Each structure stands twice: as structure tokens, then as C-alpha cells.
Amino acid sequence: MSSIPTLPARRRRAHALVLSSGIAALTLGALLPAAALAQDASVAPVAEEPQQTASESLTDDIVVNGRRQRTALNEEQQAIATIDIVTTGDVAIHSQTSIADLAKMLPGVSVSRDQGRNQSATGEAQFVTIRGFDTSYNAYTLDGLRLPQTSGNNRAISLNLFSPFAIGGIVTDKTPGAAKDADSIAGIVDLRTPTAFDFNQSFTRARVLGQVAGLALDREQEAFGGAIGLDAARRFGSDHQFGVYVAAYLEERGNAAESTAVQNDYKPTRANSGNSRANPNALTADGVQWNFYNNKIKRYGATGAFDFRSDPVDLYARVNYATYLNTNTMNQTGLRNELTRGQTNPNGGSYNAAGVYTPLGINPASYFRTEDIEQELFSAQVGAKAHWEGFTAALEGAYADGRFDQPTRIEAAFRGIAYNGTATNTGAATEGVNVDLSNPKSPRPILSNGAIAYVASLDRPTQLYVQRGYDYLSETKKTLKGSIGWDSQSFVKVEVGGLYEDSDRSGRSLAPDQTRYRFLTPLQNGTVQGPSINQYLGYVLKDFLDYYPARPIKVLSRAQLDAQVRDYVPLIPVSQTTLNQGLSSGNETRKALYGTATLTFGNLEVMPGVRYEDNGFRARYYLSDVNGARFVNAGRDYDHIDPSLLAAWKPNGNLTVRGAVRSSYARPAFDLLAGPTRISEPASDGTVTITQPNPDLKPVQAWSYDAGVDYQMGVGRYVQLAAYYKDLSNFIVSTASRSGSETVGKTTFIRPINGGGGTAKGVEASGRFTVGDMVDSSFLSNFGVGGNVTYQKTEATYIIPVNGARTTRSSTLPQAPDLIYNAEVFYAGGGFRTNLWYNYIGKFLAAVQDSQPDIYVQPVGELNFGAAYEVTDNLKIGVSARNLLDQHTYWATVGKGETYISNDRNGGYLKTGRVFQFSLTMKM
């Protein structure tokens, strides 16, 4: 089915978030030329606009009272579904070159990152989710095509490979009906590429920008970057029925980030008081660390669209190619609580005679890790839609190929003899790392002068090991879908359709631990003496956050570490069994049939529908359990029937009342069903943890109830209110440290399980106000304010069987903030426009843990500024700044409160600084 629909306008709703600063929204109708809207005689006519010039056609969506805005509001009045759209291509006024960061402008949209791969350090968001639900509860499409899923442990799509140079808009559908994918509990996020029919005239455009990252510049790291985007549209033919749009882009930039965290999980302050979860207000930190990150990001790609539109038939073709590369390095300094050879603990354990946690030994440590990422996507779609005398028929075929690759994951550690407080640094220890948590964003060790002198030397310790691993996952997806429909032009419209989707997956991984080359140190035998930090080329930072650590941070030469990997890692043999553990392959199919009917009773429009989806998967992967280690074949089939009912009542030209009830589900992530086995290194007591998939997982099920009121008060002025309720069952907490476990001897098997349910209830409001024609002033009429807010309460029941079943109630759903809002002040007039935009995402649950308190991400806000000026009809300049207040990018805590900062793998407290941008847009 065409990504440029030709349904009657009253059956399409675009819930416009049109802000003059370039947050301007498009509607589905706004993407169509006036001729296409006029094809259906039942469409209420829109006031005819004067013909646009080429310049206007490229910028009219960002003018305070522009024609696209008026078209959007008119379309909104005629629609039944709930769709929010934001345009993304205005780089003149936005410093965000990440699609996910631009999506934050939409009502109820929040973002998240893969913290385990250091992605918070890029300063960019990675995943987008509607109303804060877990990313696996969203469906992600590109021009209506489901994208390959290359995130193994969930079905989220990493949006950081898409660029606003090639994506024209982001669409969130919060109440998809039966004609759309049912595995979309939260809704559908669709990325739209432009077509030649989006513009009234042909054009060629070049957009060039330069960026500088403030934090990287302050730390004397690579801080500069830039991008160039070229696009062109041409309409031709006797009736301009042919259209071609092409675009290409390249972006490269550098940035830096810094974070602090505690070293290990928290320990109960008092002995014999239970585990840390039982002592949420009486915990003691175990070590502390500081991290510095460098990122070199590159995006490039191209898109093309061909369209033919006529009265009897529409034809189209879409091709997209996108690549995202991130060379990511982390340099870490830490102080670990541990004793080494020749040192003893006079307490006989971690607790002193008074029963207070008192670790001894201060081991200065350094650590280096790379998290290089390569993502690639290719997609192609061809389709046709025929229409005659009220009948329609549509058919589309598509192919998409996605890849997520971490070709080089290098780790290097530097640890040696700990400082124990004695003159000889041997025998009974007297000192350890006591951590002051009085500043929740900056844990600080309390050290004696002797300890400070010892840990400050980068001549010790020497390198302990170097190792290298990799991850690779690819998916190819083939899709065929079609529909037929009939419109009586008066009372009823019916449509039936179907879909067939076939996906092939292949993955391989090798944990870096499996290739560890150990150097000669006082703690271990080896044949080569490892170098110290001082013996590496590199740069010692002069400043860091608000507190420079007692042990300096050195940004090491990556070239030397790459040379070590080449020289030493091949010396470590890796068995075939170990290689097999990371292999997996599989096939997944989805088949769907649906039927909808749209009934019109005066001012009331009702659309009942039902959708049936059948899913099946077959996979081969390596399994280790009590029966041994071997390749196994697994498979399962399951189906789902999802009815829906959407309604809209329009008593007059200003008021619209909408409601929706629908059933939906979420498919378990592929790796949870049939992913690779992961085996941990043996602990000091010999215990081993084996993480396995569970092919018997059930899909999450949900019922959603939505209601909303839209009231239009004239050009540029509206208010919209909504309420929603969702009831979920069988949900899977993929972020849990343990979903279900079984212990056999010294081996613990961890498997995901179904269990528990949850609810979410929320309210949402958005609005926009411009002075407009309320005052007789050309200057004041161009001022305005706008924004949106989503507030919700969620509850969940978790079943985490560790030493018996434990159910946790009245907790929050994973990834669901309690509050999300945007607020903006803007001006546009006389060729000049500017905006000041603030985004806020409230606290949310990040991970459910068993013996530790759960991990939460604290609220984060970002203030952005932009200004643009049209020097001529063909030249526009822009300046913008992101994160003007230099607020943190990520802040994770153990427990809901701010008292206990998390350990580094959960993020800790991280800042990426400000970003400044200058741009030129040239039109021809």
C-alpha cells in the first residue's frame, strides 16, 4: 500500500504539532498536492491557497501562519485516527542531527539508549518510544515498511543511523486500527521520506552545517564536525504526473563525554541485615570510578522516490540506504576495594567488629574499552494503487536488509598491588576506600595522604590483560501486502487486506573474556611485562566534571592498543565450542488478514475492525544445560486476534471528540526466544552463570482505551486533551538481571519467563498559541508559545523466582516516565525566525534486579536555541545550540531516590556538554 495514501481526508487525522521554529508539523494530507485531496468528492474543500514559489514550498511549513499549518489543522478536523507528525529537515534552526532527538518534540514521546554499549556518551538519543512504554511495545516502519530488527534482546529499532537530511517527517500513530500492525501496544513510529509531490515546484537544494562540541573542545579532544546534504525534486509529464526525488548526505563529527559511578554493587551497611534490596536506605558504596569517552560519528546515505499519479492508478518506488559508524573509546580510572597478595584483613571479612561494612585495600586501577558500532540498512519498495468508481486496490512488495556489527570490542585492564595503609604495604590492612555520597552526582573517595600519593602515580600498576571480542547480527526482511476497498461515497466504506512477512536472521558473537591475553604482573604469571599507563602515548586530562579524581585520567593512544590486539590476542586459542556458543540463525514469518468498515452517521464517524496475525519462528542455536552443550533446533507458532473500534464526533467546525478501543500484543524479542547462550567466567567460588533463551515465551497482550478532544480556535491556535488506559498481561521484563533461574550444583541457569501484568493510565495535553490576527501589529503577530505534556501513573507485578517466587507490586513499567513535556517560545517574521525549546523526560525504571534495588534513570532536561535568517530567496543562514544549560545527559541510580548513584554499566552520572552549530541552506 502506498506510503502516500489517497484515502478521503476525513479518514486521516494529523494531530498537528506545528511550531514556527521548525518544529512545524505536517499531516498526511499536507503531504499531498491539492489535486490528490480533491479526488474524493466527499472531502470537505479546503480554502484554496495561492500558488507557491519554489522558495515557499521548501520553507512554508516553518512559517507561523503558513499554508501547510492551515492544511494540517483542516485535515485534523476531518480525521478519525490519532497521528502526531513532526518535520525533521530544518537543520537551520535545530542542532539535532539525530532523528530520535527530533522525535522528542512530539507529545508523549521519550527516548532511551543502549547504555551497555556506551551509547549515552554520544550525546544522541538512540531509541524512541510512544508514551514512555518499553521500546519492544512499539512498531517501527519506514514509509510503512517494517524495518529489520538488529537489536537482539528487544524489537526496538536504533534510529541513530537515520538523518534529517533524508527523512522528511516522523509520524507516531497512538491508536492504529486494524489496517495496521497489531504488534504495537504503544503505537507505531513511522519515518517518512519526501517525494516530489510534497513540493509544488521543482528544486535543487544544498544544506551545509558545521558543529563544535563544547566539552570535547574544553578537554582538548576532537570536537569539530560537519555535514552536507544535497536533494532535488522534479515533476514532469503533460500533467506533471511523474515525480522524482533524490537525496544524499554525509555527516562526520567528534564529541566527548565524562561520567562518574561507583565500582560495584552496593553492600548493606550493617552485617546480617539481609541483602541490599532489603536495606534500600542503609547501603555503602564499594569502590568508585571515573570515565572519559571519545566518539567519532559518521552517517551517510541516500534516498530516492519515484511516483506516477493519475486518476486511475498511482505507482511508486522507494529506495533508502543508510549507514551509521561510531568509533567509541572509554578510558577509566578507578579505586577498587580489594586486597592483593601478601595483604590480610584483620576483620576476617568485610564487616568490622561493630558489624559495619568496612572494606580494606585500595587498588588503583585503569581500564580501557572500545564499543565501536557499525549499522547499515537498505530498503526498497514498489507498489501501486488503483481506484475507479469507489473501488480501490493496492499492492506493495518490499525488501529490507539490516546489519548491526561490533567488529572490534577491545578491553584492557591495569591493576596491581593494592595500597593497604602500612609502611611496607603488606600484612594486616588499615585503610580502604570510603566513599562520600553526600553529593549524589559526584561520589568521592576519602583517602589519607599516603593513599593519595600511591594512587596518583601512573607508573603503577602495569597492564594486566588485553582482549578482543565481536558481535554481529543481520536480518533480511521480505514483505508483500495488499488491500481492496469500496467507498459508497455516503454511508459506508469497507476495506480488507493482508500481509506476508518473512525474515531471516544470522548472528555471531564472541565475548572479549574468551581471548584474554595476560601480561606478567605481580598478581599473575605471563611471559611479557605489560606497560604502565605512563608508558602509553596519550593525553592526561586537566579537568573533569566538578571534581578531578585523585588518580589522573589519561586518554590512551588507541593505535598502541590496536597493535597489542594484533600481536597478543591471536596467541590465545579459542575452542570451537566457545565459538559455537555465540552462533544463532533463524527464520520468522508473520501473516495477517484484516477487515475494516467506516460508517458515517451525520457528525459521527465509526470505524470497527478486526485483525488476525499468525506468527512462527524456526531457529538453530547453541544450548548449554544439564544435558550438555550442543546445537538445538527450536520453533513455535502462535497467533493473535485483535479487534478495534475508532470513533470521531464533529458537532461543528471547531470541536472534535475522539475515542478508541483496541486489542494489541508485543512479540518476544528473537534472542529471548532463540538467542545465543552466554556463559560467565567462573566466580571466585567456582560458580558459573549460563544465560539461555526460552522458545516457549508468550507474547505480551494489552487492551488500550483512548479518548481525546481537539478544539481549534483559529489559525495558529488550538488545544488538545487526551486520556488513555492500558491493561497488559504476560509481559516480559527483558531488562531484569534475572527473569527465571535454576541452580544445578555451582551452575545457575537464567531464562526469560512470562509473568505479571501491568496498567498505565495517563493524561496528555498539547496546544499552540500565536498572537496572529488578534492584534494589529505585523511584529507582535509573529510571536507564539507552544508545548505538550504527558503525565501517567503505571503499576506492574513482577515475578522473579530467586529462592522462591517473589512478586513486586506498585512498581513502574520499564522505560515509562511519569512526566514528559515540551515548552517553546518562538518568533517568525520578516525572513527571521527563532525559538527557545525545553524538553523534559521524567524518572523511569530502567532495570529490575533481584538482590539489589531496581535501577532508575533520574529526570533529564535539555534547553535548545535556534535562529535562522533568509538572506535572499535562495540563501538561508542558521545558528543553533543544544543543551544550553549544560545539564546531564544521563543519571542512573540504585533505587528511586537520588542517594545512590549506579555503577558504570548502568550509566552513573554522565554529561556530554553543549553543541553549537552554524548552517547554510541554498536553494536553486
Side-chain angles (χ1 to χ4, degrees):
M1 288 170 283
S2 174
S3 61
I4 303 295
T6 57
L7 298 177
R10 64 182 178 182
R11 296 184 175 91
R12 296 189 304 271
R13 173 177 180 257
H15 181 97
L17 175 67
V18 187
L19 300 179
S20 65
S21 61
I23 303 180
L26 296 176
T27 63
L28 298 180
L31 291 173
L32 290 169
L37 293 177
Q39 287 176 355
D40 192 324
S42 67
V43 178
V46 176
E48 184 177 352
E49 298 288 354
Q51 180 71 16
Q52 290 176 306
T53 67
S55 177
E56 287 177 322
S57 71
L58 294 171
T59 62
D60 209 28
D61 56 328
I62 50 147
V63 176
V64 172
N65 294 325
R67 282 188 280 279
R68 285 193 178 180
Q69 175 198 340
R70 291 178 231 171
T71 307
L73 298 180
N74 287 334
E75 283 295 311
E76 181 177 273
Q77 292 295 91
Q78 299 296 323
I80 187 171
T82 305
I83 300 173
D84 298 318
I85 306 178
V86 62
T87 56
T88 61
D90 187 18
V91 297
I93 206 163
H94 293 304
S95 59
Q96 291 85 359
T97 54
S98 160
I99 289 294
D101 283 307
L102 289 166
K104 293 188 296 187
M105 301 171 182
L106 290 166
V109 168
S110 64
V111 298
S112 60
R113 303 158 178 85
D114 183 352
Q115 181 55 37
R117 291 187 169 99
N118 292 344
Q119 290 306 289
S120 291
T122 65
E124 296 180 346
Q126 187 178 8
F127 302 110
V128 167
T129 182
I130 299 173
R131 287 170 173 166
F133 287 94
D134 191 275
T135 49
S136 61
Y137 297 166
N138 298 261
Y140 299 88
T141 59
L142 176 64
D143 293 324
L145 170 68
R146 287 297 287 268
L147 293 169
Q149 293 155 353
T150 54
S151 180
N153 59 3
N154 62 59
R155 292 188 181 270
I157 300 296
S158 178
L159 300 185
N160 52 13
L161 60 77
F162 295 104
S163 169
F165 287 99
I167 300 297
I170 306 169
V171 183
T172 58
D173 189 343
K174 297 172 181 175
T175 60
K180 297 185 178 181
D181 294 326
D183 59 328
S184 54
I185 291 174
I188 298 175
V189 178
D190 185 37
L191 306 180
R192 295 284 172 83
T193 55
T195 76
F197 286 86
D198 297 343
F199 311 98
N200 281 353
Q201 292 194 11
S202 299
F203 73 90
T204 300
R205 173 174 54 178
R207 289 169 286 181
V208 181
L209 61 87
Q211 280 191 351
V212 58
L215 177 62
L217 191 65
D218 289 344
R219 303 296 183 258
E220 301 184 35
Q221 303 295 302
E222 186 170 334
F224 295 94
I228 182 170
L230 302 172
D231 64 341
R234 295 289 185 270
R235 296 270 297 276
F236 54 93
S238 58
D239 294 320
H240 289 225
Q241 69 270 38
F242 295 94
V244 176
Y245 174 84
V246 292
Y249 63 91
L250 169 65
E251 176 186 1
E252 292 190 56
R253 68 181 187 87
N255 91 301
E258 47 197 21
S259 73
T260 184
V262 296
Q263 180 74 43
N264 300 307
D265 286 341
Y266 284 87
K267 306 299 189 295
T269 301
R270 291 285 174 180
N272 304 316
S273 60
N275 60 26
S276 295
R277 192 177 183 89
N279 293 270
N281 300 310
L283 300 175
T284 300
D286 184 4
V288 65
Q289 62 181 231
W290 303 267
N291 302 309
F292 187 80
Y293 306 87
N294 289 100
N295 294 280
K296 296 179 182 178
I297 294 171
K298 176 187 285 188
R299 289 187 188 87
Y300 59 89
T303 185
F306 170 80
D307 292 86
F308 169 79
R309 298 186 181 180
S310 66
D311 289 338
V313 67
D314 295 340
L315 304 174
Y316 65 91
R318 306 279 183 269
V319 178
N320 283 279
Y321 175 78
T323 293
Y324 171 85
L325 307 173
N326 179 21
T327 303
N328 174 289
T329 62
M330 182 187 82
N331 286 271
Q332 180 185 106
T333 281
L335 299 178
R336 302 167 63 97
N337 272 315
E338 60 188 10
L339 296 172
T340 52
R341 188 176 303 164
Q343 301 171 345
T344 60
N345 187 332
N347 296 322
S350 298
Y351 292 86
N352 64 18
V356 177
Y357 182 71
T358 310
L360 293 174
I362 306 171
N363 197 339
S366 294
Y367 177 69
F368 176 94
R369 184 172 82 231
T370 69
E371 294 285 0
D372 295 352
I373 287 176
E374 297 179 5
Q375 294 182 76
E376 188 175 33
L377 173 71
F378 171 80
S379 67
Q381 300 164 260
V382 293
K385 185 170 185 177
H387 29 83
W388 69 98
E389 296 183 355
F391 289 93
T392 60
L395 183 66
E396 177 180 290
Y399 172 86
D401 188 345
R403 173 178 67 92
F404 179 94
D405 193 2
Q406 284 194 277
T408 301
R409 298 181 60 195
I410 300 173
E411 297 179 4
F414 301 76
R415 290 205 303 277
I417 301 298
Y419 178 82
N420 77 341
T422 67
T424 60
N425 215 27
T426 59
T430 61
E431 294 185 33
V433 183
N434 296 315
V435 182
D436 178 5
L437 297 174
S438 59
N439 182 341
K441 301 177 181 178
S442 182
R444 302 182 183 185
I446 301 172
L447 303 172
S448 67
N449 290 335
I452 291 174
Y454 187 86
V455 303
S457 173
L458 295 181
D459 287 319
R460 57 175 174 255
T462 57
Q463 190 168 349
L464 191 69
Y465 64 77
V466 65
Q467 56 193 32
R468 174 188 177 272
Y470 56 80
D471 278 301
Y472 175 84
L473 183 62
S474 69
E475 180 176 285
T476 59
K477 189 183 294 288
K478 298 173 284 292
T479 306
L480 180 67
K481 56 184 179 179
S483 68
I484 56 174
W486 175 71
D487 191 345
S488 70
Q489 304 293 316
S490 58
F491 168 69
V492 63
K493 172 182 167 61
V494 295
E495 181 178 293
V496 295
L499 170 144
Y500 179 79
E501 185 181 271
D502 182 270
S503 303
D504 291 306
R505 297 170 62 90
S506 176
R508 60 181 183 269
S509 64
L510 178 67
D513 295 352
Q514 304 292 343
T515 66
R516 180 169 295 180
Y517 177 86
R518 301 178 185 272
F519 291 97
L520 174 64
T521 74
L523 302 178
Q524 65 187 15
N525 294 324
T527 57
V528 177
Q529 174 70 54
S532 69
I533 291 291
N534 252 350
Q535 291 173 311
Y536 268 87
L537 297 175
Y539 174 79
V540 177
L541 297 178
K542 298 180 177 64
D543 200 4
F544 186 86
L545 285 173
D546 64 334
Y547 166 76
Y548 194 82
R551 179 168 177 79
I553 302 174
K554 187 172 185 178
V555 180
L556 303 184
S557 163
R558 178 158 176 170
Q560 287 183 256
L561 287 149
D562 289 338
Q564 279 191 351
V565 168
R566 291 193 301 269
D567 293 341
Y568 300 122
V569 169
L571 302 178
I572 305 301
V574 179
S575 69
Q576 188 61 49
T577 298
T578 299
L579 294 174
N580 289 342
Q581 291 168 7
L583 298 178
S584 64
S585 61
N587 174 266
E588 189 173 34
T589 61
R590 183 167 63 103
K591 292 164 278 188
L593 293 172
Y594 72 87
T596 64
T598 305
L599 310 174
T600 304
F601 306 94
N603 294 325
L604 177 65
E605 196 172 30
V606 180
M607 188 169 70
V610 63
R611 187 178 182 93
Y612 170 78
E613 292 198 0
D614 178 77
N615 295 273
F617 78 89
R618 302 293 181 268
R620 186 171 187 263
Y621 60 98
Y622 202 73
L623 179 67
S624 296
D625 58 16
V626 294
N627 297 317
R630 74 279 184 201
F631 280 105
V632 298
N633 294 311
R636 184 168 172 239
D637 298 291
Y638 58 92
D639 56 12
H640 216 263
I641 298 176
D642 295 289
S644 62
L645 178 66
L646 280 66
W649 177 57
K650 310 176 185 70
N652 56 54
N654 298 95
L655 179 66
T656 304
V657 181
R658 292 180 176 83
V661 179
R662 65 186 185 97
S663 169
S664 56
Y665 72 106
R667 293 181 286 171
F670 198 87
D671 275 9
L672 301 181
L673 295 167
T677 295
R678 295 179 175 87
I679 303 176
S680 71
E681 275 201 322
S684 57
D685 61 356
T687 59
V688 173
T689 299
I690 299 178
T691 304
Q692 302 174 332
N694 180 359
D696 296 323
L697 284 175
K698 301 175 184 177
V700 184
Q701 302 181 86
W703 277 93
S704 300
Y705 309 87
D706 290 77
V709 176
D710 291 2
Y711 185 70
Q712 307 294 333
M713 298 173 287
V715 175
R717 299 185 298 278
Y718 65 85
V719 63
Q720 300 157 336
L721 302 173
Y724 58 91
Y725 179 84
K726 293 183 184 290
D727 190 359
L728 297 88
S729 60
N730 284 335
F731 76 82
I732 308 158
V733 186
S734 59
T735 52
S737 60
R738 266 171 227 271
S739 297
S741 63
E742 170 193 1
T743 299
V744 179
K746 289 191 173 184
T747 302
T748 297
F749 297 93
I750 298 178
R751 307 177 185 91
I753 61 172
N754 288 107
T759 61
K761 48 191 174 184
V763 293
E764 199 164 77
S766 61
R768 183 172 184 270
F769 177 82
T770 55
V771 177
D773 54 4
M774 295 181 63
V775 297
D776 186 17
S777 169
S778 59
F779 177 73
L780 293 177
S781 65
N782 291 314
F783 278 101
V785 295
N788 54 73
V789 60
T790 300
Y791 176 76
Q792 65 181 355
K793 298 290 288 184
T794 64
E795 293 186 355
T797 300
Y798 301 113
I799 300 175
I800 305 177
V802 177
N803 300 323
R806 172 174 64 78
T807 301
T808 301
R809 297 188 184 275
S810 299
S811 186
T812 57
L813 286 169
Q815 309 298 324
D818 51 0
L819 179 64
I820 308 169
Y821 69 80
N822 291 283
E824 185 189 29
V825 179
F826 55 86
Y827 172 86
F832 175 77
R833 55 197 172 90
T834 184
N835 78 312
L836 193 65
W837 163 51
Y838 187 79
N839 172 261
Y840 176 92
I841 299 175
K843 182 193 316 180
F844 62 84
L845 172 66
V848 177
Q849 304 199 106
D850 46 24
S851 59
Q852 289 279 318
D854 296 337
I855 302 295
Y856 283 82
V857 173
Q858 296 297 318
V860 59
E862 185 178 87
L863 181 66
N864 305 303
F865 169 79
Y869 179 68
E870 288 196 39
V871 181
T872 69
D873 287 344
N874 297 316
L875 177 63
K876 178 171 55 181
I877 60 174
V879 293
S880 57
R882 182 163 75 243
N883 193 18
L884 276 174
L885 301 180
D886 197 22
Q887 294 182 274
H888 63 269
T889 302
Y890 196 84
W891 179 16
T893 59
V894 174
K896 289 185 178 181
E898 298 179 357
T899 303
Y900 300 112
I901 191 172
S902 75
N903 59 20
D904 77 313
R905 273 296 184 178
N906 285 304
Y909 179 82
L910 180 143
K911 294 182 72 173
T912 56
R914 303 177 179 91
V915 176
F916 304 94
Q917 180 174 292
F918 174 80
S919 67
L920 292 173
T921 299
M922 294 159 282
K923 296 168 286 190
M924 294 160 274

